Amino acid sequence: MSEALATRTARLSALQTQMASAGVELTAIAPTDNLRYLLGFSPQADERACLLLLSARGATMLMPDLNAEQAISAIPELELVRWTDDAGPEQALRLALRRLDAEAVRRFAADPEMRADTLMLLQDALPAAAPVNATTVVGPLRQTKDSRELELLQRSSDVGDAAMLAVFETLAPGISESAAADAAARTFSSLGSRPDFTMVGSGPHGAFPHHDSGERLLQEGDAIVIDLCGQLENYFSDITRMAFIGQPSQEYLEVHAIVEAAVQAGIAAAGPGTVCEEVDAATRRVIADAGYGEYFVHRAGHGLGVSMHEPPWIMRGSSVELRPGTVHSVEPGIYLPERFGVRLEEIVHITDNGCERFSSLPRDVHIVA
Amino acid sequence: MSEALATRTARLSALQTQMASAGVELTAIAPTDNLRYLLGFSPQADERACLLLLSARGATMLMPDLNAEQAISAIPELELVRWTDDAGPEQALRLALRRLDAEAVRRFAADPEMRADTLMLLQDALPAAAPVNATTVVGPLRQTKDSRELELLQRSSDVGDAAMLAVFETLAPGISESAAADAAARTFSSLGSRPDFTMVGSGPHGAFPHHDSGERLLQEGDAIVIDLCGQLENYFSDITRMAFIGQPSQEYLEVHAIVEAAVQAGIAAAGPGTVCEEVDAATRRVIADAGYGEYFVHRAGHGLGVSMHEPPWIMRGSSVELRPGTVHSVEPGIYLPERFGVRLEEIVHITDNGCERFSSLPRDVHIVA
């Protein structure tokens, strides 16, 4: 058996075990990161319904006819139920459900990123069934990274570090945000990663946590939030660092030091057995104690793997336990509207007695003299 | 009133008119092409629920707090109901529905590309309501392009033509499919478009309608399907042409001529008042009469605009009428498994008495000598 086939078989079987313990009779996965995780392959995602369907009986795939040959050559062992543009997907879906003995299920798990029209198609075919979020059953598998996944995440992070250094080198007064972001994209591409989110938020733009890099020109006195994500062989990197054009103000340095202390508190809290919300609380406490609580407007982090954002969520109310192999970000921030923002982000993986970060870059503000 | 604000206001009001005539009391639009069409802006699409909600009362937007400032600066007139990571979206959604007098609707329209978890959130808040596909109400608006949209589609198509010529220049024995596809991507980027789907399917790969360009090296005797899509200022281009390395075989030339005749039949059929399935049938008849009916495995075309694929669908069973301003592809193909494929694709816009194509490239096979 090839390694890829062995991985697919093991993951589908582990998913069936999760389903049994969660009382889920059918799981429907669309061409999303979940499918890429389970099968190592994801067909074209468009308006044509395409679903991996899994029950205790086995797996089958509802597949648009025009993409079927490709799926067969990628995953020869998988049973397909094909549908043509002429016939539409309804009948094929019913046939697939029959094969899986899933026509009368009461509870099915739907991929959270599935298109709404595909979910409505499933709901029409299973009018008596209630959908639940498939993260319930797939999340626990994806949360524990194996050694090969950790190795890919390390390589992906190394490329992310290089992209950050490339942005640092580009920063100068008069350079646009998007030109600086392009330097990151070029570095990702040249080192084998696909650039994804590349944010350079300067001055007041840094106060938007998810700013789109634009044509604003960097100028003396700008604090700059740089948040870069790339994807290498399906696995993401994600890193945020700060830069400053000229000599940072006293206020900037104070805010930076508070965010740095919050990162350290989050990393110190993250370890096996810790509950996600405790890591969130550890970062939040530092920022609140310093009087900036209301300016930390987002959760402290997210899981990372084949998705840029995936469970577990490092946030209040999340009682998911961290365990060896969990990978997540620690990324507190302080955003002062119309003035500037500061965010620092590390990706860590949980070890047997704490956690380790992937990046080897310091978190000091990079000063552009 | 700025032009952008006037466009937004007119489109939301037209959508309310469509809703009234379709008996839809509430429409929910996610950060998808539908939102980009309606508002000229689309916030980050991720796992945080973000929805434009529209009823006869007006519009409001359910918005993750951390992206709210950006939305306000892009669309200052829009009412937002914000939710934080800590609080979650449920209460904010209920508040938004209350403001729109939509807590007890029986029928709501859901964006077909909305994430399934967001649809489940809506269904939880509206347990008595049945969702319908929002294409029912948004599709008719998007189907009729105004003069500014037609102008953007023309400019986008011009860039697509240039990208096709760049691929033609790159083709040679020993060049990989992905290297040829990269030439298209570079041309799109350098002329202001964002490259999207760029397929170079050579030899047997051309028999996969949606092949992913890979490392296969072009060789003497290859028929090559080149399908290129880019996006300029939100508007797509889409074109497919054929190339051949060396002297095409008699069989290739015959199949090419049949597909060419099918394109011509489709273009001749397309005009105001024609029903979509008639255009499909016109292309299909030519191919079936020539004995290749079973190898034309997909619909004859799709609408094009802010999405690469959008209604109306040029396929059997589609009784949508074409009208002046409708833009769609005509793209019959013949796919001979494990041997080669031939597809030719034109984008046309319906005029007062027929249709016109955007591309100015001939459809002859490009021969690489």
Side-chain angles (χ1 to χ4, degrees):
Chain A
M1 203 189 293
S2 78
E3 195 190 323
L5 173 56
T7 301
R8 289 198 291 269
T9 308
R11 288 181 180 173
L12 290 179
S13 157
L15 179 51
Q16 285 172 316
T17 305
Q18 287 289 336
M19 288 164 61
S21 74
V24 165
E25 297 158 275
L26 174 73
T27 295
I29 302 295
T32 66
D33 292 338
N34 277 326
L35 198 62
R36 202 166 287 115
Y37 171 78
L38 290 168
L39 300 185
F41 165 77
S42 194
Q44 170 145 332
D46 63 13
E47 67 282 359
R48 292 180 176 95
C50 176
L51 287 176
L52 172 70
L53 296 163
L54 186 74
S55 74
R57 260 284 185 85
T60 195
M61 197 144 183
L62 179 73
M63 174 64 66
D65 197 58
L66 85 167
N67 297 330
E69 297 303 328
Q70 255 167 298
I72 290 167
S73 64
I75 310 182
E77 80 277 10
L78 198 68
E79 180 186 270
L80 302 185
V81 179
R82 301 158 69 142
W83 63 272
T84 62
D85 286 347
D86 271 6
E90 292 80 3
Q91 270 199 305
L93 175 57
R94 260 178 227 115
L95 174 62
L97 293 172
R98 197 150 58 232
R99 286 202 190 158
L100 294 174
D101 200 14
E103 295 162 284
V105 300
R106 302 304 301 259
R107 197 172 144 83
F108 71 96
D111 191 329
E113 294 185 51
M114 180 185 298
R115 290 168 55 110
D117 50 5
T118 305
L119 177 58
M120 290 190 266
L121 179 78
L122 266 170
Q123 290 179 314
D124 282 347
L126 298 167
V132 298
N133 190 319
T135 299
T136 321
V137 286
V138 184
L141 309 187
R142 287 180 55 182
Q143 193 189 323
T144 304
K145 270 71 180 176
D146 63 28
S147 58
R148 192 180 145 273
E149 292 182 286
L150 291 172
E151 186 195 314
L152 286 170
L153 285 160
Q154 181 64 60
R155 283 174 47 207
S156 191
S157 171
D158 292 345
V159 175
D161 283 1
M164 183 62 70
L165 293 175
V167 173
F168 283 170
E169 274 173 35
T170 309
L171 298 176
I175 294 288
S176 72
E177 293 175 344
S178 58
D182 286 349
R186 278 195 305 274
T187 302
F188 277 120
S189 296
S190 71
L191 296 176
S193 283
R194 188 184 60 73
D196 195 289
F197 184 74
T198 54
M199 159 179 166
V200 175
S202 64
H205 288 172
F208 298 149
H210 281 161
H211 173 63
D212 288 327
S213 310
E215 296 317 307
R216 184 179 184 279
L217 304 183
L218 307 185
Q219 52 183 261
E220 189 75 17
D222 278 351
I224 305 169
V225 182
I226 307 155
D227 187 350
L228 306 178
C229 300
Q231 196 177 20
L232 181 119
E233 294 180 28
N234 284 337
Y235 283 81
F236 270 95
S237 66
D238 192 357
I239 181 171
T240 308
R241 292 292 185 268
M242 295 297 309
F244 205 98
I245 310 277
Q247 198 46 49
S249 65
Q250 198 51 40
E251 184 190 21
Y252 175 83
L253 292 172
E254 279 172 25
V255 173
H256 187 106
I258 295 162
V259 175
E260 168 63 26
V263 173
Q264 291 184 14
I267 290 177
T274 304
V275 161
C276 287
E277 67 178 352
E278 295 171 10
V279 178
D280 182 84
T283 65
R284 209 164 292 282
R285 201 174 302 125
V286 172
I287 291 175
D289 286 353
Y292 285 93
E294 68 185 293
Y295 302 108
F296 178 14
V297 295
H298 55 72
R299 62 191 175 206
H302 55 80
L304 183 98
V306 295
S307 297
M308 196 168 80
H309 291 174
E310 65 183 44
W313 311 114
I314 310 299
M315 61 188 283
R316 196 178 301 177
S318 168
S319 56
V320 173
E321 251 188 40
L322 302 175
R323 46 177 186 255
T326 305
V327 171
H328 67 85
S329 71
V330 176
E331 50 174 314
I334 291 176
Y335 308 92
L336 302 175
E338 293 171 36
R339 305 192 45 228
F340 66 89
V342 176
R343 177 168 68 252
L344 295 168
E345 174 180 26
E346 292 289 356
I347 304 297
V348 300
H349 61 101
I350 305 298
T351 61
D352 288 336
N353 40 33
C355 73
E356 274 177 30
R357 65 190 193 120
F358 286 107
S359 169
S360 46
L361 296 184
R363 290 186 295 270
D364 307 324
V365 57
H366 171 79
I367 291 173
V368 179
Chain B
M1 205 189 293
S2 78
E3 196 190 323
L5 173 57
T7 302
R8 288 197 292 269
T9 307
R11 288 182 179 172
L12 290 179
S13 158
L15 179 53
Q16 285 172 316
T17 305
Q18 287 289 336
M19 288 165 60
S21 73
V24 165
E25 297 159 277
L26 174 73
T27 294
I29 302 294
T32 66
D33 292 339
N34 277 327
L35 198 62
R36 203 167 285 115
Y37 171 78
L38 290 168
L39 300 184
F41 165 77
S42 195
Q44 169 144 334
D46 64 13
E47 68 283 359
R48 291 181 177 94
C50 177
L51 288 174
L52 173 70
L53 296 162
L54 186 73
S55 73
R57 259 288 184 83
T60 193
M61 196 143 184
L62 178 72
M63 175 62 68
D65 198 59
L66 85 167
N67 297 330
E69 297 302 326
Q70 256 167 298
I72 290 167
S73 64
I75 311 182
E77 80 277 11
L78 198 68
E79 180 185 272
L80 302 185
V81 179
R82 302 160 67 144
W83 63 272
T84 62
D85 287 346
D86 271 5
E90 292 81 4
Q91 269 198 308
L93 175 57
R94 261 177 226 116
L95 174 61
L97 293 172
R98 198 151 58 233
R99 286 201 190 157
L100 294 174
D101 201 13
E103 296 162 282
V105 299
R106 302 304 300 259
R107 198 171 142 84
F108 72 95
D111 191 327
E113 294 186 51
M114 180 186 298
R115 290 169 56 109
D117 51 4
T118 305
L119 177 57
M120 290 190 265
L121 179 78
L122 267 170
Q123 288 178 315
D124 282 346
L126 298 167
V132 298
N133 190 319
T135 299
T136 322
V137 287
V138 184
L141 309 186
R142 287 180 54 181
Q143 193 189 323
T144 304
K145 269 71 180 176
D146 63 28
S147 58
R148 192 180 145 273
E149 292 182 287
L150 291 173
E151 185 195 315
L152 286 171
L153 285 160
Q154 181 63 62
R155 284 174 47 208
S156 190
S157 170
D158 293 345
V159 175
D161 283 1
M164 183 61 73
L165 294 175
V167 174
F168 283 169
E169 276 173 35
T170 309
L171 297 177
I175 293 289
S176 71
E177 293 175 345
S178 59
D182 286 348
R186 278 195 304 274
T187 302
F188 277 121
S189 297
S190 72
L191 296 175
S193 282
R194 189 184 59 74
D196 196 289
F197 184 73
T198 56
M199 159 179 165
V200 175
S202 64
H205 288 172
F208 298 149
H210 281 161
H211 173 64
D212 287 328
S213 310
E215 296 317 308
R216 183 179 184 280
L217 304 182
L218 307 184
Q219 50 183 262
E220 189 75 17
D222 278 351
I224 305 168
V225 182
I226 307 154
D227 187 350
L228 306 177
C229 301
Q231 195 177 21
L232 181 118
E233 294 180 28
N234 284 337
Y235 283 81
F236 271 95
S237 66
D238 193 357
I239 180 170
T240 308
R241 291 292 186 267
M242 294 298 309
F244 205 98
I245 310 279
Q247 198 47 47
S249 65
Q250 198 52 40
E251 183 189 22
Y252 174 83
L253 292 172
E254 279 171 26
V255 172
H256 187 106
I258 296 162
V259 176
E260 169 62 26
V263 173
Q264 291 184 17
I267 290 178
T274 304
V275 162
C276 287
E277 65 179 352
E278 294 171 12
V279 178
D280 181 83
T283 65
R284 208 164 292 282
R285 201 175 301 125
V286 172
I287 291 176
D289 286 353
Y292 286 93
E294 68 184 294
Y295 302 108
F296 178 12
V297 294
H298 55 71
R299 62 191 176 207
H302 54 81
L304 183 98
V306 295
S307 297
M308 195 167 81
H309 291 174
E310 64 182 45
W313 311 114
I314 309 300
M315 62 189 281
R316 196 176 302 176
S318 169
S319 57
V320 173
E321 251 188 39
L322 302 175
R323 44 177 188 256
T326 304
V327 171
H328 68 84
S329 71
V330 176
E331 48 173 316
I334 292 176
Y335 307 93
L336 302 175
E338 293 171 34
R339 303 188 50 225
F340 67 89
V342 176
R343 179 168 66 252
L344 295 168
E345 175 180 26
E346 292 290 357
I347 304 297
V348 301
H349 62 101
I350 306 299
T351 61
D352 288 337
N353 40 32
C355 74
E356 274 176 31
R357 65 188 192 122
F358 286 106
S359 170
S360 45
L361 296 185
R363 290 185 297 270
D364 307 324
V365 56
H366 171 79
I367 291 173
V368 179

